[in-house]
Amino acid sequence: MHGMICKSLETFLRTNHGHDIWAAVREQAEMDAPEFEAMQTYPDDLFLAVVAAAAERLGRPVSVLLEDVGTWICTTPPLEPVRRLIRFSGPTYEDLLWSLDEMHDRARLAVPDLDFPACRAEEIEPGQYEITVRWPISGAAAVMTGILRAMADDYGVLAMLDRGARRQIDGLWHEQISVTLFEAEFAPPRDFSIGVSA
Amino acid sequence: MTLAVLTPAALDAAMPMALVFDQAEGRILHSGRVIDKIAPNLVGQTLEDAVDLLHPAVPITPEAVLAHPGRRLAVRFRGATDEAAGPGTRLRAFAVPLEGGRAILDLSFGPDIARAVARHRLDAGDFSPIDPAVEILFLLEARDAVLRELARLSERLSDARDAAELKAQTDGLTGLPNRRALDHVLNRLMGGRAPRFGVMHLDLDHFKQVNDTLGHAAGDLVLERVAAILTEEVRLGDLVARIGGDEFVLVFPDCGDADLLVRIGERIIRRLEKPIPFGQEACRISGSAGVTLSAFYRDLDLERMLADADRALYDSKEAGRAQVSVARPETA
């Protein structure tokens, strides 16, 4: 697992729940290093152990924890670049949904060895989308749900997101998210310009 | 053969940074919607009025622009120059002649696209939906984020290295510099022009008895007390290193006075002889020392200097301990 993803989880736990929780999670997951390095790669098993330990410590299901991480990535001010990079998908929330199939390649463009989940959106009927997320590890749809929820706020649209079916095909998890868009413009969007950020 | 007629709206959608001009006068007939944001109101002006040709550096005439169809030109809009932001953005351009005595000058941003986008307040809608220019902007931001993360990583590594280095040069019990640190300092002094320094080799007396009768905890307490005394008795900038169980070396930069070192050594010994309380008991020790000066040697040799200080220390021991002896090298 890429260190950026591991580090995101760690920073979420540290800033939202404290360094003691992080220390306890590390111990339970039998992680030797005191912290993740964003520029290193870690065994998937270690990442999964940290996720499981964190969910247990915080007393909430893994999927809820991962959704919170997804939302936090897009809304915490120190990670503003992430929100900005997602906003490069296009001027509207629908543009974002349609460009999800490019997100994997975009992430690679930025960090060549970052294995971002592969996503695809389909419009089932007007305003109703079905998103498929594929990743070797189960849980990517939960993180994406958190991200898409936060970005709906960012674009100022009212959207309802539900996680749907998931199954494993040839070692890859296929997980579904359904998105219902109620109003294209619900609230004023947050500022975004493609020029150099201040 | 005419393949298609483009309305201004269609042209704007397909090529938002194109100028259409007539080949006779160079008069601008159409200016794309993005050019309007960079240099407004160009329609009706001539190329000569509105545009500077930067490459090739010749006056901008329709003939010059069309002389090499397909060749990449560099241009700048005169109206885009701004006192605060400086000269207008340098743009890439290339010309394509059209039927009916007209021509297109299509423009694009160059490598400074990020600055241009910020300066002219462009947004994603200003680029064709299939233009990878937005990807370049995305990539620049992503690169900055990655570089920041790398810079943080390198700072952490550098801090960790400093800490490891300090730890490697520090004696864990007393916190004094160790033998490695001593070698480092002595080599640095030797590397200077005309080195001038003094060395004192100090060995505790009766320390073994403290350890044997009162235990290692008492021995450790004594060593910590000795470290404190030695540190208090030297100047800032002098070095006190613990190089063995009860052996210390003191280095005095800029010192050429053996009597001064003898006085310092005697003062240290007097303080070492004050009993150190350990529970109900008292630890009694003393010390013997040998000193030497770089000034004693015509050809300075570190090994020899340290050996002489060591020999002087043994002179002190043989003469009954609790005293300071000065080395007398043969060449003195």
Side-chain angles (χ1 to χ4, degrees):
Chain A
M1 182 62 55
H2 198 282
M4 282 214 174
I5 293 173
C6 301
K7 188 76 188 176
S8 301
L9 175 66
E10 174 198 326
T11 312
F12 167 84
L13 292 171
R14 280 178 185 272
T15 49
N16 284 11
H17 302 287
H19 297 289
D20 292 347
I21 287 280
W22 170 245
V25 165
R26 257 188 60 224
E27 191 178 330
Q28 192 173 332
E30 294 179 5
M31 176 175 164
D32 295 329
E35 58 179 326
F36 285 118
E37 284 296 347
M39 294 294 157
Q40 276 180 21
T41 304
Y42 295 90
D44 285 355
D45 288 347
L46 174 63
F47 175 72
L48 289 171
V50 170
V51 170
E56 196 186 315
R57 282 276 154 187
L58 300 176
R60 61 178 92 159
V62 166
S63 58
V64 174
L65 168 71
L66 293 179
E67 263 194 54
D68 288 350
V69 173
T71 301
W72 172 84
I73 285 172
C74 298
T75 51
T76 188
L79 288 179
E80 169 76 3
V82 174
R83 175 191 86 91
R84 284 187 52 78
L85 291 178
I86 296 174
R87 282 291 293 259
F88 272 101
S89 302
T92 70
Y93 191 69
E94 276 113 320
D95 289 326
L96 166 64
L97 295 181
W98 288 128
S99 68
L100 284 177
D101 61 348
E102 286 191 342
M103 206 172 251
H104 177 263
D105 290 341
R106 282 191 164 219
R108 281 241 156 133
L109 196 57
V111 184
D113 51 353
L114 181 57
D115 191 15
F116 202 80
C119 304
R120 204 185 63 239
E122 268 181 90
E123 192 169 23
I124 307 297
E125 54 185 82
Q128 179 70 48
Y129 298 83
E130 190 79 41
I131 291 159
T132 310
V133 183
R134 286 172 301 142
W135 214 34
I137 289 175
S138 163
V143 179
M144 276 310 295
T145 303
I147 289 176
L148 290 174
R149 251 191 209 131
M151 293 312 292
D153 282 348
D154 210 277
Y155 277 97
V157 298
L158 185 60
M160 197 169 81
L161 290 100
D162 283 307
R163 270 179 293 112
R166 63 191 191 99
R167 60 211 167 107
Q168 204 174 9
I169 306 171
D170 296 334
L172 271 190
W173 281 96
H174 288 55
E175 302 176 313
Q176 309 236 290
I177 308 168
S178 78
V179 181
T180 311
L181 276 182
F182 290 103
E183 273 174 80
E185 278 185 33
F186 172 68
R190 278 184 68 191
D191 279 348
F192 170 70
S193 78
I194 59 173
V196 186
S197 53
Chain B
M1 181 190 78
T2 300
L3 206 57
V5 176
L6 286 181
T7 62
L11 185 61
D12 238 3
M15 300 165 73
M17 285 186 72
L19 288 177
V20 178
F21 61 95
D22 79 69
Q23 293 186 26
E25 290 185 281
R27 195 160 299 281
I28 296 169
L29 306 169
H30 165 90
S31 167
R33 60 191 168 87
V34 175
I35 294 184
D36 249 7
K37 287 194 168 185
I38 299 170
N41 307 321
L42 294 186
V43 173
Q45 300 187 41
T46 63
L47 290 179
E48 283 175 286
D49 294 333
V51 188
D52 282 326
L53 196 53
L54 304 175
H55 180 80
V58 296
I60 188 160
T61 60
E63 296 77 44
V65 166
L66 290 163
H68 307 283
R71 174 170 166 186
R72 190 156 90 194
L73 313 171
V75 303
R76 174 180 292 153
F77 289 111
R78 292 202 183 143
T81 296
D82 171 306
E83 251 180 53
T89 305
R90 182 187 169 104
L91 297 165
R92 293 170 168 181
F94 88 105
V96 183
L98 300 175
E99 286 180 11
R102 294 179 175 179
I104 283 183
L105 187 66
D106 197 17
L107 300 156
S108 155
F109 294 106
D112 68 339
I113 181 168
R115 265 198 334 195
V117 163
R119 173 167 173 179
H120 302 296
R121 296 171 196 285
L122 305 184
D123 58 45
D126 289 323
F127 293 90
S128 153
I130 56 168
D131 189 343
V134 180
E135 244 63 41
I136 295 177
L137 300 172
F138 166 87
L139 196 49
L140 289 173
E141 287 219 6
R143 180 206 61 185
D144 288 349
V146 169
L147 285 181
R148 275 195 298 275
E149 189 50 51
L150 280 175
R152 274 199 286 270
L153 173 62
S154 121
E155 205 172 294
R156 278 199 298 276
L157 288 177
S158 154
D159 286 352
R161 190 197 55 212
D162 290 350
E165 232 160 55
L166 188 67
K167 201 173 165 192
Q169 299 203 1
T170 305
D171 165 45
L173 174 65
T174 60
L176 289 178
N178 62 13
R179 171 125 235 163
R180 284 182 57 160
L182 171 70
D183 290 346
H184 182 76
V185 168
L186 286 173
N187 283 319
R188 209 184 56 213
L189 285 171
M190 291 295 288
R193 222 153 40 99
R196 202 174 104 95
F197 59 94
V199 170
M200 181 187 299
H201 196 160
L202 175 92
D203 197 292
L204 300 185
D205 295 325
H206 318 304
F207 177 71
K208 190 169 179 299
Q209 286 94 307
V210 171
N211 255 343
D212 289 349
T213 57
L214 300 174
H216 287 287
D220 288 353
L221 179 83
V222 166
L223 288 171
E224 286 175 48
R225 180 74 198 124
V226 171
I229 291 172
L230 295 180
T231 309
E232 285 162 18
E233 291 299 332
V234 300
R235 301 167 302 175
L236 200 72
D238 295 339
L239 176 81
V240 178
R242 180 180 176 217
I243 59 163
D246 56 356
E247 268 185 274
F248 300 83
V249 170
L250 289 68
V251 181
F252 303 85
D254 288 323
C255 177
D257 182 348
D259 291 342
L260 172 70
L261 293 193
V262 170
R263 284 200 300 278
I264 292 175
E266 286 170 352
R267 201 163 62 220
I268 287 171
I269 290 167
R270 275 201 301 279
R271 286 191 64 186
L272 292 179
E273 288 178 342
K274 286 189 185 146
I276 300 165
F278 176 72
Q280 302 299 320
E281 312 285 339
C283 310
R284 288 168 198 281
I285 58 161
S286 183
S288 302
V291 302
T292 189
L293 294 175
S294 64
F296 289 166
Y297 305 84
R298 198 168 300 136
D299 298 310
L300 195 55
D301 176 341
L302 196 53
E303 298 282 322
R304 197 176 149 215
M305 223 182 133
L306 290 172
D308 285 345
D310 194 41
R311 201 168 304 127
L313 160 65
Y314 278 89
D315 287 348
S316 296
K317 294 245 182 206
E318 279 180 11
R321 302 175 195 262
Q323 52 191 284
V324 184
S325 307
V326 179
R328 298 289 169 208
E330 292 88 44
T331 55

